[in-house]
Amino acid sequence: MGIDLLSTMGKTCTFDCIYCQLGRTLCSEIKRREFVSLDSLVKELKRVESIAADYATFSGMGEPTLASNLGEAIELVKSILKLPVAVLTNSSLLTGEDVRHELYLADVVVAKVDAPNEELFRKINRPVMGLTLGEIIKALKLFREKYRGKFALQMMFVETNKSYAFDMAKIAEQLSPDEVQINTPLRPCGVSPLSPAELASAEREFGNLENVVTVYTALKPEVKPFDLAETLRRRPKL
Ligand code: SF4
C-alpha cells in the first residue's frame, strides 16, 4: 500500500532525475517540513485499514524524507495498519542525523544511488544545489552501520551511466546491502530504457554481491490501483 506524505500537486523533490516518471520537479526543496498532518494521515489510514496488503510503502509525489513528520508517520502506520513499513528514498537527506534516526524505524529501506561520480550525479539526478554524492555515500555508510532492517540499494542504469557498472558495483560493495536492485526505466519518461542484454551486462559487474535482482528478472508483486484518479495523478506519464 503506497503512502504519500507529501501529496503535493506537482513533484516535490531534492532531485530532478532525467528518468523520473513524475515529470519535472515543480518544487525543488531541501528543507524538511510538514506537508500532511498526522491527523489527516490517521483519517486516511482508518479508511484503508481493512484493505489487504503486504507492506505499507512511503513513496509518492517526490522524496518522502522531506516530510518532517515521517518518523511519527511510520509509527502510526505500524500501529494502525499492522503492516511492515518500507520507505523508498533517493538517499539525499540521509546526511541529516534526524532522517537516519527516523528511517531506523522502517522495516525496509530502499535507497537510491545512480551515479559513480559527482559529474554523473549532477547529470542524472540533477540535485538541489549543495548536495554531493560524496556526502550522500558517507551518510549511507553511517546509516548502514546501525540499521537493523532490510537495506536495499536501488541503482538505475540509463545510457549516461551504462559504462560505469564496475564503479557502481564498487560503491554497492562498500554499503553491504541486503539486496541490490538494478533498474532501467520501463515506465514512460524522458529517457529510453536499456535492453535486457545491456542490463545483464551491468549485472555481471555485481558478482561480489549477493541478492542482485534486475527489473527484467525480478518477480513483480501484484499491484491494484485502489483509486484510479489518484494513481494517474501520481503517474502522469502513463
Ligand atoms: S528522486 Fe525519485 S521522485 Fe525525485 S526526481 Fe528522482 S525519480 Fe523523481
Side-chain angles (χ1 to χ4, degrees):
M1 180 176 299
I3 299 178
D4 183 359
L5 209 48
L6 305 178
S7 278
T8 43
M9 284 314 289
K11 187 188 15 158
T12 302
C13 198
T14 50
F15 287 178
D16 189 11
C17 303
I18 54 172
Y19 58 78
C20 187
Q21 60 170 6
L22 300 171
R24 295 302 303 259
T25 298
L26 284 192
C27 310
S28 273
E29 298 200 22
I30 195 165
K31 211 169 160 354
R32 304 183 79 201
R33 64 183 172 88
E34 180 183 297
F35 295 84
V36 173
S37 72
L38 294 176
D39 284 349
S40 313
L41 177 67
V42 170
K43 276 190 205 129
E44 288 286 318
L45 292 176
K46 296 276 181 203
R47 224 161 56 84
V48 298
E49 66 185 330
S50 60
I51 295 174
D54 52 357
Y55 278 90
T57 302
F58 286 85
S59 54
M61 290 294 282
E63 171 49 35
T65 61
L66 274 168
S68 54
N69 51 7
L70 176 64
E72 293 154 292
I74 291 173
E75 289 181 316
L76 273 175
V77 168
K78 283 188 173 191
S79 76
I80 296 175
L81 298 185
K82 314 268 188 281
L83 288 174
V85 166
V87 180
L88 312 187
T89 174
N90 67 15
S91 316
S92 58
L93 296 181
L94 270 78
T95 48
E97 203 180 352
D98 53 340
V99 173
R100 294 198 298 275
H101 274 272
E102 288 172 39
L103 289 181
Y104 292 148
L105 300 168
D107 301 281
V108 179
V109 169
V110 182
K112 176 200 293 296
V113 174
D114 298 332
N117 58 44
E118 302 293 342
E119 188 191 345
L120 288 195
F121 174 57
R122 286 191 297 277
K123 262 194 196 157
I124 296 170
N125 299 117
R126 298 187 292 203
V128 167
M129 192 103 84
L131 286 173
T132 67
L133 181 66
E135 289 300 315
I136 291 171
I137 289 174
K138 241 193 258 171
L140 282 169
K141 282 183 193 163
L142 283 177
F143 177 72
R144 185 62 187 121
E145 277 166 20
K146 291 207 182 143
Y147 182 55
R148 296 289 163 253
K150 176 177 171 180
F151 176 65
L153 192 63
Q154 195 171 73
M155 295 184 145
M156 185 69 89
F157 281 90
V158 291
E159 194 60 34
T160 322
N161 62 352
K162 74 173 186 190
S163 32
Y164 292 85
F166 175 83
D167 305 282
M168 302 274 281
K170 291 294 150 210
I171 292 174
E173 285 170 26
Q174 290 172 40
L175 297 172
S176 316
D178 296 306
E179 180 177 283
V180 181
Q181 301 173 357
I182 298 181
N183 274 357
T184 196
L186 297 184
R187 290 193 177 131
C189 69
V191 294
S192 306
L194 298 186
S195 67
E198 287 173 310
L199 215 58
S201 152
E203 184 187 4
R204 281 195 282 280
E205 301 292 354
F206 288 75
N208 291 338
L209 286 145
E210 286 181 6
N211 296 327
V212 179
V213 294
T214 80
V215 68
Y216 286 122
T217 54
L219 287 175
K220 309 246 179 340
E222 191 195 351
V223 178
K224 286 191 209 126
F226 126 135
D227 181 329
L228 191 58
E230 275 298 301
T231 302
L232 287 173
R233 190 168 80 78
R234 282 165 171 73
R235 294 189 188 157
K237 286 180 178 283
L238 282 187

